[in-house]
Amino acid sequence: MRMRLLLLLSVVLALAAASASSAALASSRAVRSTLTAGPSSYGRVLFDGRGFVLYAFTRDPRGKSVCTGGCAKAWPPYVVKTRPRAASGVKARLLGTTRRADGRLQVTYAGRALYYYVGDRSKGQILCQNVTEFGGVWLVIRPSGTLVR
């Protein structure tokens, strides 16, 4: 009887740990898929829910991404598993997604696909504003949807 009780208790604890892990993962995804606006040396610009700045690529046509291969290694797309959410200061009507060639969902804002820069390693860091690379210019974006030049 005592052995059964210990076994049952072990199963219950394992299920509780798995549930807590799933909840933490879901919470992490929710933060990651939230678009925020915050202050920077360029004025208020867009960040992901973790505080990392987001860029737009002028070579992209509206609602699409042409940044693949080496481009996507240097400028990783802002991909999400679920529909992104708008935090305070972000216009929900400008927020959307586009399907990449690999099937993943990339976040768009005002019709522009959003990206990270691989060299931005800390929250709020903006190292590649107004940089020409891969045939276009990389620019941070204002909550109004306009690019910062």
Side-chain angles (χ1 to χ4, degrees):
M1 180 70 170
R2 186 176 182 111
M3 189 62 130
R4 275 191 197 166
L5 185 59
L6 286 174
L7 180 61
L8 181 61
L9 184 58
S10 295
V11 169
V12 167
L13 289 174
L15 289 173
S19 176
S21 176
S22 293
L25 182 58
S27 175
S28 171
R29 282 187 184 146
V31 167
R32 177 144 166 41
S33 66
T34 300
L35 202 66
T36 66
S40 77
S41 56
Y42 301 99
R44 289 186 64 74
V45 297
L46 299 181
F47 296 90
D48 73 359
R50 300 171 306 149
F52 285 84
V53 73
L54 296 162
Y55 297 86
F57 186 37
T58 61
R59 187 167 164 231
D60 282 344
R62 292 279 178 176
K64 294 207 176 231
S65 170
V66 297
C67 180
T68 60
C71 178
K73 284 187 170 114
W75 298 91
Y78 177 28
V79 295
V80 293
K81 300 265 186 206
T82 61
R83 179 150 177 79
R85 290 186 273 171
S88 179
V90 174
K91 297 178 180 181
R93 65 181 166 74
L94 297 180
L95 191 54
T97 59
T98 186
R99 183 101 22 213
R100 292 183 58 78
D102 62 9
R104 296 182 300 161
L105 282 179
Q106 184 171 0
V107 177
T108 62
Y109 196 76
R112 296 187 175 278
L114 300 178
Y115 302 86
Y116 298 101
Y117 171 61
V118 73
D120 291 343
R121 303 251 184 228
S122 60
K123 296 175 182 182
Q125 190 172 38
I126 302 174
L127 295 178
C128 274
Q129 162 63 6
N130 202 22
V131 168
T132 301
E133 193 171 55
F134 296 101
V137 181
W138 296 90
L139 301 164
V140 292
I141 200 166
R142 295 196 193 287
S144 65
T146 59
L147 300 177
V148 177
R149 297 258 176 200

